[in-house]
Amino acid sequence: MERSVIYLLQVSTDKLVEAELFDGISDPHLEAWRKTWLPEVAAAKIRLLNNQLPGSQWPVDLHWDWDKKMAQARATFLGRKSFCVLCQGELQGLMLVNLTKTGRLPEQVRKELVYVEFLSTAPWNRQELACTPKFRGVGRALVLAAVELSLQEEFRGRIALHSLPQADEFYRVKCGMSPLGKDTKYENLTYFEMTPEQAQAFRQV
Amino acid sequence: MTTKRTMTLNLTDAEMAALDQLSTQKDLSKTAVIRQALRLYQMIDQRSQIGQKLYFENDSTKEKAELMLL
């Protein structure tokens, strides 16, 4: 498993801090997910209930079981890759990507891309769950990892994903991806693609 | 970057022509085409092992044709 240094913005100090990006999610990372994320998720669910937020507006990824997702991914290990971000000894983000999908945009139909199946940031980094997020930049770091993998695999930086409603703006505005509308075959989530040109622009921000 | 190893591949003219064609169509090197083929082959094989089948579906008629079982 390889490790590279990245930087996140620590919100409390407004300063960049060193973090680690791993290309792989190992058992210790899953254990950190169970021990540190799940109690926070349970507390967040109680807060959402107390605030009487309708279930339809809850972040869907609160229910994601990364143990199951990784068990499935390991069975087709050539077609999938996983990444995680650690900072100050804590797990900050997880991502699972699929390398067997192709594009839908007219200019990249049937062209290979990296499809982001699941991307999640720690509950304490999320505005909708924590009053003040601890770190910013985890989502961007993981999307950038998907773009770099796409370049490494000769997919020219092409990536794609189905976005949860809360993240639509992030992928459209912050990542500069093209929305292709709601996908009725995929829980009506908005489908996004990034072209090689958009990937180049995203890497330079 | 993950360590890679090199091997020699013996292909017939027809197989090499198919590889050339895919390489051009997909804008990938021949190595990248082979690596992608391996990913897909492993995925199909793994799914067939757990009893799943691979189909092509006609988008207009919705007719399904079983493609393969490994």
Side-chain angles (χ1 to χ4, degrees):
Chain A
M1 189 175 300
E2 296 199 18
R3 164 194 175 275
S4 46
V5 173
I6 60 166
Y7 292 90
L8 302 177
L9 181 73
Q10 189 168 35
V11 176
S12 63
T13 59
D14 200 29
K15 288 192 172 145
L16 292 176
V17 291
E18 200 170 290
E20 300 165 294
L21 172 75
F22 288 87
D23 72 340
I25 297 173
S26 63
D27 289 338
H29 299 140
L30 289 174
E31 193 177 338
W33 166 75
R34 283 190 295 270
K35 284 189 173 170
T36 61
W37 288 31
L38 289 186
E40 294 271 345
V41 166
K45 282 179 179 174
I46 291 169
R47 283 199 300 276
L48 293 174
L49 269 175
N50 290 341
N51 292 340
Q52 297 184 326
L53 190 73
S56 59
Q57 291 176 30
W58 287 26
V60 177
D61 60 322
L62 288 185
H63 309 291
W64 288 354
D65 183 337
W66 282 91
D67 278 326
K68 277 189 187 165
K69 292 188 189 311
M70 285 308 296
Q72 288 163 1
R74 280 170 183 152
T76 54
F77 63 95
L78 290 180
R80 287 198 170 88
K81 272 188 172 279
S82 57
F83 295 85
C84 67
V85 172
L86 266 71
C87 186
Q88 297 180 349
E90 285 183 317
L91 181 69
Q92 306 294 343
L94 294 162
M95 179 173 72
L96 187 59
V97 302
N98 187 322
L99 299 169
T100 65
K101 307 262 186 183
T102 55
R104 299 185 191 178
L105 274 172
E107 64 267 37
Q108 45 195 37
V109 165
R110 297 181 64 219
K111 293 273 173 68
E112 275 63 24
L113 48 73
V114 171
Y115 176 78
V116 178
E117 289 191 329
F118 302 102
L119 188 159
S120 208
T121 61
W124 51 81
N125 292 332
R126 301 170 56 157
Q127 198 118 40
E128 73 271 30
L129 300 180
C131 296
T132 309
K134 214 166 170 180
F135 297 105
R136 286 193 194 280
V138 178
R140 179 188 156 74
L142 288 168
V143 172
L144 189 57
V147 170
E148 296 298 331
L149 175 64
S150 173
L151 290 167
Q152 188 185 313
E153 295 294 337
E154 301 184 21
F155 301 167
R156 316 289 178 202
R158 291 185 292 264
I159 68 166
L161 53 86
H162 285 87
S163 169
L164 299 178
Q166 297 87 350
D168 282 354
E169 193 181 329
F170 170 73
Y171 292 119
R172 188 174 52 80
V173 179
K174 297 277 174 69
C175 301
M177 297 177 76
S178 300
L180 277 77
K182 293 198 183 297
D183 189 342
T184 53
K185 291 180 180 170
Y186 201 99
E187 297 172 22
N188 231 23
L189 298 178
T190 303
Y191 177 76
F192 285 87
E193 270 186 25
M194 185 181 277
T195 64
E197 295 73 27
Q198 289 168 335
Q200 202 59 32
F202 179 66
R203 291 174 83 217
Q204 286 168 355
V205 174
Chain B
M1 187 176 283
T2 310
T3 309
K4 293 191 173 83
R5 290 193 287 177
T6 305
M7 65 171 284
T8 305
L9 194 61
N10 293 312
L11 298 176
T12 63
D13 286 347
E15 288 161 350
M16 185 58 89
L19 184 55
D20 275 332
Q21 191 183 18
L22 280 168
S23 172
T24 304
Q25 280 174 358
K26 298 282 189 176
D27 194 18
L28 295 171
S29 67
K30 293 184 183 71
T31 300
V33 171
I34 296 284
R35 296 177 68 202
Q36 192 65 2
L38 197 53
R39 285 187 192 113
L40 293 166
Y41 192 30
Q42 188 201 43
M43 183 186 71
I44 294 165
D45 185 50
Q46 192 274 336
R47 292 211 171 176
S48 73
Q49 275 181 39
I50 56 172
Q52 295 181 351
K53 292 177 184 176
L54 178 66
Y55 290 95
F56 274 142
E57 185 183 79
N58 184 310
D59 206 25
S60 49
T61 64
K62 301 295 172 197
E63 189 180 354
K64 287 180 182 172
E66 187 176 334
L67 179 65
M68 63 192 299
L69 274 176
L70 299 175

